[in-house]
Amino acid sequence: MKELRGLTSLRGIAALYVVVYHFSNTIAHTQNHNFKALVPRGHIAVDLFFVLSGFVMAYTYAADFRQHGIKAYSSFLSKRAARILPLNIFIVTILLLLRPLEFDGKWFSNWTAICNLGMIQGLNVCYNINIPSWSVSLEWFSYLAFPVLLTLCIFSRRGLLFLAIFAAVVGLVALCSHKAPLSTDSFSLGAWWGIVRCVSEFSLGLAAYRLYQSGRFKALLSSDRFLSGLTLSIIVITAGHLGDLFAALLFPVLIVAIAHNNSLGARLLGSYPLHFLGVISYSLYMIHHPLLRLEIYLASIVHPSALSVPACYAFIIAGSLSVIVPSWISYSLVERPSRSFLRSGLLALRPSSFADSQ
């Protein structure tokens, strides 16, 4: 299956966006400074992840489900587990070994370890050892509901499709109406709202794939002018605090526009540096927070007094970029080999071929 390089790069940009955002907020807090983050409202990148995941899952697996029906479900879940769980288990195990008794003032228990290793901490049922992993944890509910969501958004008549889109938008509007932005602040409303957020945006990604597959409005969506205007609109909405909801609702259109584009936008997003970021994006997203804390701890030893604001900004940039090499190492030595090993075992058990996920 042809890789949509622009979407791979988009995933990498979103992951780095989160990294810079976390570095900015954490350093501002530890240094007692009140300065603006280098990137605003980094939590919105997680919403982009949810929408993008829905699109990519449909692009990768819709044909399998159409051909094999529910028989494709076990292969789908197995491949998602092979894609996501090994790196999570590796990181959680390292963190457990480094701090077996206490982590950020939270006492460990067997339940905490089991939840984090099994990646159900996004339900807010235990302390989350690796902060960014909450969003990946919630995606499991979209995977579990994938056959139903795929039927509603891809294989159904237009009436059911519009109903699914309407339900997804209503879910996001309801979440925002509680005065909780599309961020981890929604946890205060209960784990249910995190599931609503993820499944709603995942469904919008599925609907975006249906639009992409239909070819409707391709001439408009594939133009560089439309892509640049849409990107600028999202930047203005995000930077101007004009509403997370509006940005989230534009993400499906952005994804379809990138998927269709074959001109300047495709060349820019398909460039090696951005594509490389996309390839290592899962490792980048999952390991950056432990490394962030380690770097801040080491900096406090070298420079015990508070840093100036310019020094903080320099630290944010250097620290964010420094995570790229360890992420590549993690991808090369842990993520990719474990995924290949587990999938080779799946192929031995299942002679029927199914598409590989990206």
Side-chain angles (χ1 to χ4, degrees), residues 300-320:
S300 68
I301 296 176
V302 175
H303 195 284
S305 59
L307 297 173
S308 65
V309 172
C312 284
Y313 279 124
F315 190 94
I316 291 167
I317 295 172
S320 299

Side-chain angles (χ1 to χ4, degrees), residues 28 33 88 155 186 231 275 301 305 352 354:
H33 286 307
N88 175 71
F155 302 147
S186 60
T231 302
H275 183 260
I301 296 176
S305 59
S352 298
F354 290 90

Side-chain angles (χ1 to χ4, degrees), residues 108-185:
F108 277 139
S109 66
N110 290 336
W111 173 246
T112 298
I114 291 170
C115 286
N116 281 269
L117 289 170
M119 211 168 234
I120 62 171
Q121 69 274 24
L123 288 176
N124 205 22
V125 294
C126 67
Y127 179 66
N128 186 8
I129 296 174
N130 185 24
I131 302 300
S133 66
W134 68 269
S135 63
V136 186
S137 172
L138 285 178
E139 273 200 43
W140 275 110
F141 290 92
S142 297
Y143 299 155
L144 292 174
F146 189 63
V148 176
L149 298 177
L150 197 64
T151 299
L152 290 173
C153 297
I154 304 296
F155 302 147
S156 67
R157 295 180 180 273
R158 289 184 184 178
L160 280 179
L161 169 64
F162 293 148
L163 182 61
I165 294 173
F166 177 76
V169 174
V170 167
L172 295 179
V173 171
L175 177 59
C176 292
S177 69
H178 284 81
K179 297 182 179 180
L182 298 177
S183 70
T184 51
D185 292 344

